[in-house]
Amino acid sequence: MNEYIPAVHRTMYFIGVTTKKSSIMKVFPLWADHLNLDAEIKGFDFEPHANPELYREAVQFIKNDPLSLGALVTTHKIDLLKASRDMFTNLGQYAELLGEISSISKQGDNLWGHAKDPITSGLSLEAIVDGGYWQNTHADLYLLGAGGSSLALTLYLINKRKTNGDTPDKILISNRSEARLTEMKKIHAAVGTGGINFEYYLCPTPEENDLLVTKLKPGSMIVNATGLGKDRPGSPLTDKVIFPENGIIWDFNYRGNLVFLEQARNQADGRSLKVEDGWVYFIHGWTRVVAEVFHIDIPTSGQDFDILSNLASSTRL
Ligand SMILES: NC(=O)c1ccc[n+]([C@@H]2O[C@H](COP(=O)([O-])OP(=O)(O)OC[C@H]3O[C@@H](n4cnc5c(N)ncnc54)[C@H](OP(=O)(O)O)[C@@H]3O)[C@@H](O)[C@H]2O)c1
């Protein structure tokens, strides 16, 4: 049960499921100190798909409490916005398009909602692949899972492609059930794919995902965007999967029993794989929302960004 006690210090909230377990509880005080935010962080936990009234209560509290400045939202991004849309004065362009928010912030009396994933997933991708990678390798991108973060990454790449940036020519997406694939196809059709060739696959079993992996070109990137390994146990692939030579294997998560990453690490030497977890995504995700909530400029790369990244990493030791 969350308690809505008026803040006596400037406060940012984390709206999630098991917020106390997140690294941000250790990281935020270090960042707050370094950035002179004079602020603290508190978590509000909800079961997935909670009662809409509970989301409204949290948003109402943040909106009305002067020292409660905003929040980062995970897991409840769609449900929270659905429940409390009328309380927001402004929504960012991606929040409107996706019907979700990961950032709640205030400007005077106005309550703002932003969907940051199409930006932060892209920043994370760029931190992992070298400049010109797709053009040089002609490799594919395979997204396991067609949920919010997977869709966000495709939107980032579509935008990049439309401005002549370097992107994969082909992106494969698989999901265990149809609904999210259909939703993704609909959004891609509405925005236009900019010439990227998207292939959508309904794959109820890990064996079917394995089969798609065998179709990928050398150097391809495979992303676990299913939450398997953190939100639920297991991996979307079987132990028999054979990763593409020189592939880049990325799990969006950094905590949990990350079986998918273990499968990749077992083949890392033999097949020359680059294996990445979701830590860099965590850093970009949080820094973009902190910048929004406190109305400060936080660069997305360079020395000042590296200081924040190193401070965060120091809590992992
Ligand atoms: N590091 C970070 O900062 C960061 C940032 C963003 C996201 N993430 C993580 O990334 C994960 C995904 O986030 P999200 O917001 O995209 O979640 P989401 O919207 O719930 O999407 C997950 C998708 O994966 C699908 N799926 C589940 N099991 C599958 C399987 N065996 N094979 C194929 N597809 C499967 C689900 O299918 P159904 O449609 O059938 O349910 C759903 O469409 C979460 O664990 C989240 O914590 C991490």
Side-chain angles (χ1 to χ4, degrees):
M1 195 68 182
N2 297 306
E3 284 191 323
Y4 298 109
I5 302 165
V8 288
H9 300 289
R10 281 153 51 94
T11 305
M12 174 174 180
Y13 297 88
F14 176 21
I15 299 178
V17 181
T18 53
T19 56
K20 283 186 187 61
K21 286 192 195 158
S22 171
S23 299
I24 197 60
M25 293 302 173
K26 288 185 197 153
V27 171
F28 186 87
L30 302 181
W31 285 357
D33 192 36
H34 174 72
L35 296 167
N36 292 318
L37 297 181
D38 186 23
E40 58 189 31
I41 190 162
K42 283 190 180 155
F44 289 152
D45 289 344
F46 297 98
E47 290 299 321
H49 309 301
N51 182 330
E53 280 308 316
L54 298 178
Y55 294 127
R56 289 186 68 81
E57 203 181 356
V59 174
Q60 191 74 49
F61 168 74
I62 293 170
K63 184 172 178 166
N64 293 339
D65 186 44
L67 288 175
S68 294
L69 302 185
L72 180 141
V73 185
T74 60
T75 311
H76 315 286
K77 289 180 261 197
I78 294 173
D79 291 336
L80 181 141
L81 183 61
K82 246 189 218 159
S84 61
R85 172 70 186 87
D86 58 304
M87 295 177 182
F88 286 86
T89 356
N90 306 78
L91 290 185
Q93 166 205 346
Y94 283 126
E96 293 276 10
L97 177 67
L98 300 172
E100 67 168 48
I101 52 168
S102 55
S103 164
I104 300 175
S105 60
K106 293 176 175 179
Q107 274 191 18
D109 290 337
N110 294 340
L111 193 67
W112 274 84
H114 287 97
K116 294 285 182 190
D117 275 355
I119 298 157
T120 56
S121 59
L123 289 168
S124 313
L125 176 79
E126 300 305 345
I128 292 171
V129 298
D130 298 331
Y133 182 80
W134 305 105
Q135 213 164 22
N136 294 337
T137 60
H138 301 288
D140 308 313
L141 171 62
Y142 175 21
L143 298 171
L144 289 145
S149 52
S150 178
L151 174 60
L153 186 58
T154 66
L155 292 178
Y156 167 80
L157 287 165
I158 287 171
N159 270 346
K160 193 174 176 202
R161 179 74 159 216
K162 286 179 179 171
T163 51
N164 297 320
D166 180 41
T167 71
D169 288 328
K170 185 157 97 178
I171 301 179
L172 302 84
I173 300 127
S174 71
N175 206 62
R176 62 175 177 183
S177 66
E178 188 81 57
R180 304 299 288 271
L181 283 172
T182 307
E183 177 72 7
M184 187 183 275
K185 270 188 228 173
K186 218 171 16 176
I187 292 177
H188 286 170
V191 299
T193 64
I196 297 177
N197 174 18
F198 281 95
E199 294 182 2
Y200 311 88
Y201 295 91
L202 177 61
C203 293
T205 66
E207 286 76 11
E208 287 160 289
N209 291 327
D210 283 4
L211 199 60
L212 282 179
V213 173
T214 64
K215 294 181 195 286
L216 301 172
K217 295 194 197 78
S220 291
M221 177 181 241
I222 304 172
V223 179
N224 177 19
T226 65
L228 287 186
K230 174 183 160 247
D231 303 334
R232 292 173 300 279
S235 161
L237 302 173
T238 77
D239 286 342
K240 293 199 180 112
V241 69
I242 299 172
F243 289 105
E245 200 77 39
N246 299 318
I248 305 177
I249 317 301
W250 180 19
D251 197 318
F252 274 173
N253 283 309
Y254 68 90
R255 64 179 165 113
N257 177 15
L258 301 171
V259 180
F260 171 83
L261 282 188
E262 195 182 303
Q263 291 169 329
R265 286 190 183 116
N266 287 341
Q267 295 180 32
D269 287 344
R271 304 196 67 75
S272 306
L273 305 177
K274 181 172 178 180
V275 183
E276 295 282 339
D277 70 10
W279 184 250
V280 70
Y281 197 174
F282 168 83
I283 306 282
H284 281 299
W286 272 96
T287 48
R288 282 312 88 212
V289 180
V290 167
E292 197 73 61
V293 168
F294 294 97
H295 304 290
I296 56 171
D297 183 34
I298 300 180
T300 55
S301 61
Q303 205 182 350
D304 289 344
F305 178 81
D306 290 344
I307 292 173
L308 293 175
S309 184
N310 291 338
L311 280 171
S313 297
S314 71
T315 67
R316 289 187 103 182
L317 301 174

